[in-house]
Amino acid sequence: MISVGRLITNTPFPVVGGIKFYQPTVGQVLDMGEEMYWGMLKMWDLDRKEMIGEESEATKDLDDFGVWKLCLFSSEVFRQRLINSVDCFLHTKIEFLPLSNTIVIGENISSTLLDETFYLTMRDISRSITALGAESKEEQFKETDNMSDREREIMAKMRKSAEMLDRIKNGDKKVEDRLVKQIVSLVAIGQYTFEEVFNFTIVQMVYLLRKYVDIQQYELYTALSPYMDSKKTQPVKHWLET
């Protein structure tokens, strides 16, 4: 996947040739809708089953890029969604050339073919950004058989606090205003103004919220650690290490 260093800046970075990737600001995502934002990003990382359902004679010998391109030339809806994605993330135009079965990204001297290298690079970017909210986390506050009742009580409090912090960071995933809750949370705990948060990218906002949670979990563990048996309890990493 693409490096965090690339994603955490709001400076456009190269994809292929003179084409660059631009991350919308939080304010822009609010305007377009979070579902639209993730949908346009997902256009570069669709599963085969999402595109074709079941394999056929026309697709069984094609790789993922071949299937993806086949769907583009056979579906007007699919093409329009990709046009929107290119406009949003690459700030340029896309042209479909059915006679040569090719796709051109960009204009004039900055234009380039959308070949497999281009596709895989964009898929890598898409996966790196969408993975932010999907990473698995090892449980930090596990109980062991030899813990005392007092230690179990403390661990329960720590787990409850961790769950609260996770809700602050991710919001309620079942409601449509998750992004709004994340914005309000960052303003409340980060001493940012709403205008400043609106100018962040989604990646920047998520990483700031995640680091806040790391700091709070470390400080909570440090405050309670004198009351726990260090031989039985795995210490939480310092927030600079996470």
Side-chain angles (χ1 to χ4, degrees), residues 31-207:
D31 289 338
M32 72 178 72
E34 190 178 6
E35 184 176 348
M36 174 69 74
Y37 167 78
W38 292 112
M40 289 191 296
L41 201 59
K42 178 67 175 175
M43 281 301 301
W44 301 93
D45 188 27
L46 292 168
D47 296 329
R48 291 177 76 95
K49 288 185 178 181
E50 291 177 303
M51 294 185 284
I52 59 175
E54 295 184 3
E55 299 287 347
S56 66
E57 288 295 322
T59 63
K60 67 179 184 178
D61 294 327
L62 294 176
D63 59 15
D64 289 346
F65 175 61
V67 171
W68 187 77
K69 194 164 68 167
L70 178 66
C71 289
L72 281 172
F73 281 103
S74 61
S75 170
E76 176 63 31
V77 173
F78 198 81
R79 285 196 299 276
Q80 187 56 54
R81 288 178 179 177
L82 189 65
I83 290 171
N84 294 340
S85 180
V86 169
D87 179 60
C88 177
F89 297 113
L90 304 180
H91 288 194
T92 191
K93 294 182 178 180
I94 180 172
E95 185 177 4
F96 300 90
L97 306 174
L99 292 179
S100 59
N101 195 38
T102 55
I103 305 168
V104 177
I105 300 285
E107 301 176 81
N108 304 323
I109 60 173
S110 65
S111 64
T112 185
L113 285 178
L114 200 172
D115 57 10
E116 188 171 16
T117 297
F118 195 112
Y119 164 75
L120 291 175
T121 301
M122 287 297 296
R123 188 175 71 173
D124 187 34
I125 294 171
S126 173
R127 288 181 177 180
S128 296
I129 295 176
T130 54
L132 286 175
E135 66 177 31
S136 61
K137 296 188 296 182
E138 181 179 342
E139 187 180 354
Q140 297 180 353
F141 310 120
K142 293 182 179 179
E143 295 183 5
T144 60
D145 293 338
N146 57 353
M147 278 186 175
S148 66
D149 290 342
R150 175 58 176 163
E151 287 175 332
R152 291 179 188 278
E153 181 183 347
I154 293 174
M155 289 297 282
K157 290 180 179 179
M158 294 176 71
R159 189 182 301 109
K160 185 175 181 180
S161 296
E163 291 170 355
M164 178 194 69
L165 291 168
D166 186 65
R167 286 195 297 272
I168 290 174
K169 182 180 72 172
N170 294 313
D172 187 348
K173 298 178 179 63
K174 296 181 180 179
V175 297
E176 296 179 354
D177 60 350
R178 178 187 62 172
L179 181 57
V180 173
K181 289 186 177 182
Q182 289 177 323
I183 293 168
V184 172
S185 296
L186 191 54
V187 170
I189 57 93
Q191 298 183 346
Y192 298 103
T193 65
F194 282 104
E195 288 73 18
E196 287 173 326
V197 176
F198 288 163
N199 286 319
F200 291 153
T201 66
I202 292 292
V203 173
Q204 289 171 333
M205 186 184 71
V206 169
Y207 268 102

